[in-house]
Amino acid sequence: MTKERILYCDPGIDDAVTIALCCASDELDLLGITTTHGNVALERTTTNTLALLDVLNQNISVYAGADRPLVRPAIHASNVHGASGFGGVEIPMPRAWCSKPDAP
């Protein structure tokens, strides 16, 4: 029996591996992915998620979440993850955009 899960992440290098492992698992049913800012800005983490799912040939709903913290200015880690969040690795732009503009 598979475990249904929704993944909440800010895809840079580390979360890209997490997404790939979740997609490859026979024990998980990944129902959706919500993205947030973090390693890089929200638009980039969402684009990274959609592009990665294209590369992995996965049809999983993606929802954009918070683009900044509630209380303080955003701090990103592009010094670690690179401007794209993928450490300089180039992957094709995604074929589709989010399932809905914002996470519920």
Side-chain angles (χ1 to χ4, degrees), residues 23-89:
C23 290
S25 174
D26 293 332
E27 298 177 18
L28 295 177
D29 181 11
L30 196 52
L31 302 176
I33 299 173
T34 64
T35 58
T36 186
H37 75 97
N39 292 324
V40 289
L42 176 65
E43 182 178 343
R44 190 71 237 187
T45 61
T46 304
T47 300
N48 288 350
T49 302
L50 293 162
L52 180 60
L53 291 172
D54 279 352
V55 169
L56 296 172
N57 198 30
Q58 297 291 313
N59 185 21
I60 298 170
S61 297
V62 176
Y63 302 89
D67 64 348
R68 66 191 178 285
L70 295 174
V71 188
R72 64 171 175 79
I75 299 171
H76 298 128
S78 57
N79 59 321
V80 175
H81 293 270
S84 73
F86 280 162
V89 173

